[in-house]
C-alpha cells in the first residue's frame, strides 16, 4: 500500500485500512517509526470529503510544530491554530489545538457538526496527574460520529484502553501495535574506567572489575548508598577504593566523539543542570573540537541573522560563544526566542551536543545519533525516583535517524561500582514493558458546574460513569465478585449450605468472600460519590443553593478555568476591583506560575500589600479545602506581581528580567506566566460583562500584553 509516493509499513497500512472502513483506531508504535503518517492520512481524507478534522497535542510547542507542518502539507488557507495564546483561522477545516481548547469547546456546547475525526497525539497523557482528566472529558464529550485517531509510543494496556473507548464511543476501536523500530536501539554504559560497554557485556565486565579491585561487598554497598545520595548534587567523590574519579558528562562527550556518534542529546532532570553542564563542556572545548570550519561559519551566519531580528540583548555573550562551538541547552524555562533558535540550529545539524530536560523528547520530531542519560532518576516534586520506563523509552527513542543511522545509540553514564544498583532497572527497561496507563479522572470545579448547568442529574451521572476510571473500577468490582463466587462455590462443595453457624474449616474462605463483596460494593459507585463530594463542597460554601440552584459563585465559576476557586473567591471578595490594570495583570501572572525558590525579585511596598491581600485568600479555609478535594495545590507567587505589572506597562522582557536574579534562565517561565495570565484576564472579562468601563480596560490590557515574545508562535 502506498501513500504520498511512499510504501507504507505494515502497521501504517493496517491503521489506514481501518480508517477507510470508518473505524476509530489506537496506534502504539515506538518513537520515530512514522505514526504521524496515519494522522496525515486522516487529515487529507477529511479535507477531500469536505469535512473538518482536529489535531490535538499535549503541549503548545507540539501544536505549533504540527500547525507549521500542515501549512506546508495541505496549504496555509486550510489550517488553523487555536491555543490559549493565539487564534489563527479558527474556522479552517483543519484545526490544530491543545487538548484543553477542544475540551472547552465541547463543554460550552459546540456541536462541531462537520467534524469527522480528531487526532489525539500522545494519548497516554490521559494518565498525567494534572491534566489527564481533560483527555477523558474530550473522549466522552465528542459526538459518537466523530472518529478517534489515538497515537502513542507507550501504551502498555492498550487493549483495556480500547475496550473502554469502544464502550464510550459505541463502536469497536481498532488497535494497531508495532513493536519494531525503524532504527533499532543499542544500549551501552559509559564508564570512565572502561569506556563504552554494551549492556549485554556489562555484567561480565563488572565481575572482572570486582576481581581486579577486590574489596568487601558490605563496604561497596555502604559507599554505593553514599554516592547515590550525593552524585546528583554534582559533588566530587571517589569510588569505593579511592582509585578513580567519577565518570562525568565530558568523558561521555569524548567517548561519543571518538566513536563518531555526534550529534547526541544529553538528558538531565533539572533546568539548572542542563545549563551548567553545557557551559562546563563549553569551557573544556575549543571551537574546532566540535564543529568544522564550514559549520562554524554557518552557525555565525544564523546567530547574526537571529540578533538582527530580535536584538543582541536576547543572546548573552556566553550563550553565543557556546552555540558557536556547537553546544546548546534546552528546557521549558528558556526564552521563547532562544528555544526556537536552539531548535533551528539543532535541526540544521549545527548543534552536536544538546543538554536537555525530558520535555525535548515529547512529540517534537528531532532525532539524534545518540541519546545519553546523566542518571536514570528524576525528581517527582518531592524526591528523586527511578525514571519510569515509559519516560525512559520516550527519551531513548530519540536516538537513531531514519535513513541515516543503522542503529540509535542509548548511553547511560555510570561508574563500575554502581552497576549492581543500575542493573535491575536497566533490565526492566530492556524488556520493553512500560507502566500501564491509569485514569486520573477528577472533574474540575468548572467542569462540575458546567455539567450541572447544561444537563439533568441523570445525564450528568452518565457522563461521570463513562470515565476510564469508572470503567476500571467496574472491571475491578466484577473481578472481586467473580472471586467471591468461586470461594462460595468452594464452600458449598465442602458441604455447608449457608444455614446456621459456619463450620470452622470454611470460616476463613467465608470471611474472604465477604470482604470481596464489600470491596465490590465500595468500588462500584465511588466515582459518582467523588463527583458528589465536589457538589457538596459547592453547597457548603454557598456557590450552589441546597436545592442545587446556582448562586453568584457558581455562575462565576462557569467562566473560570485557571485556579478556579481561588480566582472566583478573589473576584467575589472584591480583591480585583480596585487594582489598576497593570497591577491586576501582575497578580494574575502570580496565579499562573511558581518561580524557583532560588529566584530573587525586587518588590515595592504597594505590591507587597496587594500580595498580602491575595495571600490571605490563598490561605483561607475554603481554598485549602478545595485543594484537598481536588488533590491539587493552588498556584500563587507574589514575586510575579511587579514583573507582570512591568510587562503590562510596556517594558521589554529584558527590562523585566533586569528585576530578577536567578541561577537559570527564567524568561520562558515569565513568558508562560504572561501568556496564561492573559488567558485568565479573558476569563475574568466575562465576569465584568455588565461593567463597560472595566471591560474596556481589560480589552486594552489584553492588547497591551499581547506583543513580542508573548505573541510568538513557538
Amino acid at each position: 500500500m502506498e501513500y504520498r509516493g511512499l510504501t507504507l509499513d505494515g502497521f501504517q497500512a493496517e491503521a489506514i485500512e481501518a480508517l477507510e472502513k470508518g473505524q476509530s483506531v489506537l496506534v502504539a508504535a515506538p518513537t520515530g517509526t512514522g505514526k504521524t503518517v496515519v494522522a496525515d492520512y486522516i487529515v487529507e481524507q477529511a479535507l477531500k470529503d469536505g469535512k473538518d478534522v482536529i489535531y490535538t497535542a499535549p503541549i503548545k510547542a507540539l501544536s505549533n510544530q504540527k500547525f507549521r507542518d500542515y501549512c506546508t502539507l495541505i496549504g496555509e488557507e486550510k489550517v488553523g491554530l487555536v491555543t490559549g495564546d493565539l487564534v489563527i483561522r479558527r474556522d479552517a477545516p483543519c484545526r490544530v489545538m491543545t487538548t484543553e481548547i477542544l475540551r472547552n469547546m465541547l463543554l460550552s456546547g459546540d456541536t462541531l457538526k462537520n467534524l469527522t475525526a480528531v487526532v489525539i497525539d500522545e494519548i497516554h497523557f490521559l494518565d498525567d496527574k494534572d491534566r489527564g482528566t481533560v483527555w477523558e472529558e474530550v473522549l466522552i464529550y465528542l459526538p459518537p460520529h466523530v472518529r478517534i485517531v489515538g497515537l502513542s509510543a507507550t501504551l502498555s494496556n492498550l487493549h483495556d484502553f480500547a475496550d473502554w473507548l469502544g464502550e464510550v464511543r459505541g463502536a469497536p476501536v481498532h488497535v494497531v501495535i508495532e513493536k519494531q523500530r525503524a532504527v533499532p536501539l543499542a544500549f551501552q554504559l559509559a564508564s570512565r574506567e572502561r569506556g563504552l560497554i554494551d549492556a549485554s557485556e556489562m555484567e561480565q565486565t563488572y565481575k572482572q572489575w570486582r576481581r581486579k579491585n577486590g574489596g568487601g561487598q558490605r563496604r561497596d554497598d555502604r559507599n554505593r548508598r553514599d554516592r547515590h545520595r550525593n552524585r546528583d548534587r554534582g559533588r566530587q567523590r571517589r569510588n569505593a577504593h579511592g582509585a578513580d574519579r567519577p565518570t562525568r558528562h565530558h568523558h561521555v562527550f569524548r567517548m561519543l566523539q571518538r566513536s563518531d556518534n555526534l550529534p547526541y542529546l544529553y538528558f538531565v532532570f533539572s533546568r539548572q543542570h542542563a545549563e551548567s553542564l553545557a557551559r562546563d563542556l563549553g569551557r573544556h572545548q575549543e571551537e574546532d573540537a566540535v564543529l568544522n570550519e564550514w559549520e562554524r561559519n554557518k552557525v555565525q551566519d544564523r546567530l547574526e541573522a537571529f540578533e538582527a531580528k530580535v536584538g543582541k540583548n536576547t543572546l548573552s555573550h556566553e550563550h553565543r560563544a557556546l552555540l558557536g562551538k556547537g553546544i546548546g541547552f534546552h528546557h521549558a524555562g528558556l526564552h521563547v526566542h532562544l528555544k526556537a533558535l536552539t531548535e533551528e540550529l539543532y535541526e540544521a545539524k549545527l548543534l552536536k551536543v544538546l543538554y536537555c530536560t525530558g520535555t525535548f523528547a515529547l512529540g517534537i520530531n528531532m532525532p539524534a545519533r545518540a541519546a545519553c542519560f546523566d542518571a536514570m532518576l528524576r525528581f517527582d516534586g518531592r524526591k528523586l525516583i527511578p525514571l519510569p520506563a515509559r519516560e525512559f523509552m520516550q527519551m531513548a527513542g530519540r536516538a537513531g535517524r531514519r535513513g541515516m543511522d543503522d542503529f540509535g545509540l542509548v548511553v547511560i553514564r555510570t561508574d563500575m561500582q554502581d552497576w549492581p544498583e543500575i542493573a535491575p532497572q536497566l533490565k526492566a527497561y530492556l524488556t520493553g514493558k512500560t507502566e500501564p496507563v491509569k485514569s486520573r479522572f477528577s472533574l474540575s470545579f468548572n467542569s462540575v458546574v458546567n455539567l450541572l448547568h447544561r444537563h439533568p442529574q441523570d445525564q450528568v451521572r452518565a457522563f461521570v460513569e463513562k470515565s476510564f476510571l469508572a470503567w476500571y473500577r467496574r472491571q475491578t468490582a466484577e473481578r472481586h465478585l467473580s472471586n467471591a463466587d468461586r470461594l462460595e462455590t468452594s464452600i458449598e462443595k465442602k458441604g455447608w449450605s449457608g444455614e446456621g453457624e459456619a463450620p470452622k474449616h470454611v470460616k476463613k474462605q467465608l470471611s474472604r468472600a465477604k470482604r470481596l463483596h464489600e470491596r465490590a460494593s465500595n468500588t462500584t459507585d465511588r466515582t459518582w460519590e467523588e463527583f458528589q463530594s465536589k457538589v457538596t463542597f459547592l453547597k457548603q460554601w454557598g456557590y450552589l443553593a441546597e436545592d442545587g440552584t446556582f448562586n453568584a459563585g457558581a455562575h462565576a465559576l462557569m467562566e473560570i478555568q485557571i485556579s478556579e476557586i481561588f480566582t472566583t473567591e478573589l473576584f467575589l471578595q472584591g480583591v480585583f476591583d480596585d487594582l489598576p490594570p497593570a497591577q491586576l495583570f501582575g497578580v494574575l501572572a502570580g496565579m499562573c506560575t511558581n518561580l524557583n525558590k532560588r529566584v530573587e525579585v525586587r518588590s515595592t511596598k504597594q505590591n507587597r500589600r496587594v500580595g498580602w491581600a491575595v495571600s490571605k485568600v490563598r490561605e483561607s479555609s475554603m481554598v485549602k479545602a478545595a485543594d484537598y478535594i481536588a488533590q491539587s495545590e493552588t498556584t500563587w507567587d507574589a514575586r510575579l506581581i511587579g514583573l507582570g505589572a512591568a510587562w503590562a506597562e510596556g517594558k521589554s522582557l529584558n527590562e523585566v528580567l533586569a528585576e530578577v536574579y536567578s541561577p537559570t534562565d527564567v524568561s520562558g517561565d515569565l513568558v508562560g506566566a504572561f501568556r496564561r495570565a492573559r488567558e485568565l484576564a479573558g476569563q475574568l472579562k466575562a465576569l465584568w460583562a455588565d461593567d463597560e468601563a472595566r471591560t474596556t480596560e481589560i480589552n486594552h490590557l489584553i492588547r497591551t500584553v499581547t506583543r513580542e515574545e508573548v505573541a510568538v508562535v513557538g
Side-chain angles (χ1 to χ4, degrees), residues 66-131:
K66 295 307 300 184
F67 170 71
R68 293 190 292 267
D69 289 347
Y70 282 138
C71 283
T72 301
L73 183 69
I74 59 179
E76 288 188 13
E77 73 285 354
K78 297 178 182 177
V79 186
L81 177 67
V82 188
T83 69
D85 304 330
L86 198 63
V87 176
I88 301 174
R89 293 183 290 275
R90 187 186 183 95
D91 296 325
C94 173
R95 281 162 287 175
V96 180
M97 60 184 67
T98 53
T99 316
E100 280 84 355
I101 294 293
L102 178 56
R103 186 279 304 268
N104 295 342
M105 292 169 64
L106 294 166
L107 201 56
S108 66
D110 194 327
T111 56
L112 302 170
K113 290 181 180 178
N114 202 43
L115 183 66
T116 188
V118 172
V119 178
I120 302 182
D121 205 350
E122 309 289 353
I123 198 169
H124 57 268
F125 248 72
L126 181 137
D127 79 348
D128 181 84
K129 67 177 182 178
D130 297 318
R131 301 169 62 204

Side-chain angles (χ1 to χ4, degrees), residues 3-4 39-49 73-74:
Y3 169 65
R4 299 184 66 85
D40 295 346
Y41 170 82
I42 196 64
V43 166
E44 290 197 293
Q45 191 62 43
L47 299 188
K48 181 180 176 182
D49 294 340
L73 183 69
I74 59 179

Side-chain angles (χ1 to χ4, degrees), residues 626-644:
D627 280 355
Y628 177 79
I629 290 175
Q631 297 183 340
S632 63
E633 185 174 353
T634 294
T635 299
W636 170 237
D637 192 334
R639 291 173 294 177
L640 278 151
I641 297 176
L643 303 180

Side-chain angles (χ1 to χ4, degrees), residues 530-548:
E530 290 167 354
F531 177 88
Q532 288 290 75
S533 71
K534 291 184 178 177
V535 175
T536 300
F537 169 89
L538 294 172
K539 289 180 178 179
Q540 177 185 348
W541 291 97
Y543 278 45
L544 294 170
E546 281 302 316
D547 63 358

